[in-house]
């Protein structure tokens, strides 16, 4: 059995710095692989979006026949939108009473969009932007727009399918 002395178990400054560098590199690589990028805009630096917890403003449709998600129209501001992260949908209102729905998954690397402002949908990972009326790409590294969904309005409820 090996006998360890204080010299063998003592941490050195070089050992600590090397360990921190290795862990930091691994964390950066993991973030890049998950669709996030070091230096991407922090959510607190982004303008406030209309995103909220799905349980407070959106719910799955009862019965499951339609397979849709129901969103209260009052939660979708004109020129803005509502993002349901759980169901990965975004509902916009480009003009009064006109509602559009799209997949909230950015086609670039699969991040969920995090804001809708001035009729523009934004992705936090690499700054791709999309038109809130059409879902078409307006900027960033994404090569295509957001997938369109069907939005059906019934009173104050919008069903997205």
């Amino acid at each position: 059995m090996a006998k360890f002395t204080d010299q063998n178990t003592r941490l050195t400054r070089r050992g600590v710095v090397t360990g921190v560098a290795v862990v930091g590199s691994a964390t950066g690589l993991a973030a890049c692989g998950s669709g996030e990028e070091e230096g991407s805009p922090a959510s607190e630096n982004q303008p406030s979006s209309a995103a909220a917890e799905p349980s407070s403003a959106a719910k799955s449709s009862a019965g499951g026949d339609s397979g849709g998600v129901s969103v209260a129209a009052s939660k979708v501001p004109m020129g803005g939108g509502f993002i349901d992260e759980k169901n990965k949908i975004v509902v916009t209102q480009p003009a009064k009473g006109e509602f559009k729905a799209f997949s909230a998954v950015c086609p670039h690397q699969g991040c969920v969009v995090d804001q809708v402002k001035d009729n523009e949908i934004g992705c936090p990972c690499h700054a791709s932007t999309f038109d809130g009326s059409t879902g078409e790409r307006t900027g960033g590294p994404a090569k295509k727009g957001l997938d369109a969904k069907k939005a059906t309005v019934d009173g104050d409820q919008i069903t997205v399918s």
Side-chain angles (χ1 to χ4, degrees), residues 41-51 81 83 113-118 120 122-124:
S43 60
E44 61 270 6
N45 293 337
Q46 297 291 331
S48 169
S49 71
I83 300 166
V113 299
D114 74 339
Q115 66 176 321
V116 183
K117 184 177 179 187
D118 299 327
E120 185 173 75
C123 179

Side-chain angles (χ1 to χ4, degrees), residues 112-137:
V112 175
V113 299
D114 74 339
Q115 66 176 321
V116 183
K117 184 177 179 187
D118 299 327
N119 202 39
E120 185 173 75
I121 303 167
C123 179
C125 294
H126 302 103
S128 288
T129 54
F130 308 91
D131 185 291
S133 300
T134 64
E136 292 299 313
R137 175 197 172 276

Side-chain angles (χ1 to χ4, degrees), residues 58-84:
K59 60 183 180 181
S60 294
S61 297
D65 290 337
S66 68
V69 175
S70 182
V71 177
S74 60
K75 298 293 180 184
V76 185
M78 193 166 73
F82 174 80
I83 300 166
D84 180 341

Side-chain angles (χ1 to χ4, degrees), residues 25-38 40 88 105-106 108-112 123-126:
S25 295
T27 302
L29 289 173
C32 187
S34 68
E36 296 178 6
E37 185 168 311
E38 203 170 294
S40 67
K88 294 184 172 72
V105 178
C106 178
H108 177 237
Q109 286 190 344
C111 295
V112 175
C123 179
C125 294
H126 302 103

